[in-house]
Amino acid sequence: TEVSEGVEVENAVSIVTVDAKIYIPLGELVDLAAERARLEKEREAVLKDVAFVENKLNNPSFVEKAPEKVVAAQREQLARHQEKLAMIDERIAALK
């Protein structure tokens, strides 16, 4: 087990969270097509989350009526979703 920043592992299963990317090098044991499909499915779910939060933040009524603390939390949530989406896109690109 190794913990570090900026490490990329070729042909590894990855688990993407808001706080980290976890790589499990499995070499020949990984079905790369299945891993790409899993990441694509996860990407679609994150895109739905992004769209949901963006719709809230693009609604003038929500932004005007909601407490600033709630609006700020939604903006932070959007940023986390966007970061996760970028990490998933990175992994998909690495598996092609």
Side-chain angles (χ1 to χ4, degrees):
T1 303
E2 181 178 331
V3 176
S4 61
E5 290 185 29
V7 174
E8 292 293 325
V9 179
E10 293 291 322
N11 295 327
V13 172
S14 64
I15 301 166
V16 179
T17 69
V18 172
D19 299 317
K21 287 188 278 187
I22 301 167
Y23 298 98
I24 304 170
L26 297 175
E28 299 294 318
L29 300 176
V30 176
D31 181 345
L32 295 179
E35 177 62 4
R36 277 191 296 272
R38 183 190 69 77
L39 286 168
E40 287 291 345
K41 186 175 179 181
E42 187 174 353
R43 183 178 190 279
E44 290 303 315
V46 173
L47 282 173
K48 286 179 184 176
D49 293 338
V50 166
F52 180 75
V53 176
E54 282 180 337
N55 283 338
K56 278 186 183 180
L57 292 173
N58 290 331
N59 181 343
S61 180
F62 171 77
V63 175
E64 291 169 8
K65 293 179 183 178
E68 182 55 37
K69 195 175 194 177
V70 172
V71 174
Q74 291 299 302
R75 287 187 177 123
E76 288 175 20
Q77 186 176 25
L78 178 60
R80 286 192 306 272
H81 289 320
Q82 290 170 331
E83 288 173 22
K84 186 173 181 179
L85 183 60
M87 286 188 257
I88 291 169
D89 287 342
E90 257 181 47
R91 291 304 305 148
I92 290 171
L95 292 174
K96 290 186 178 181

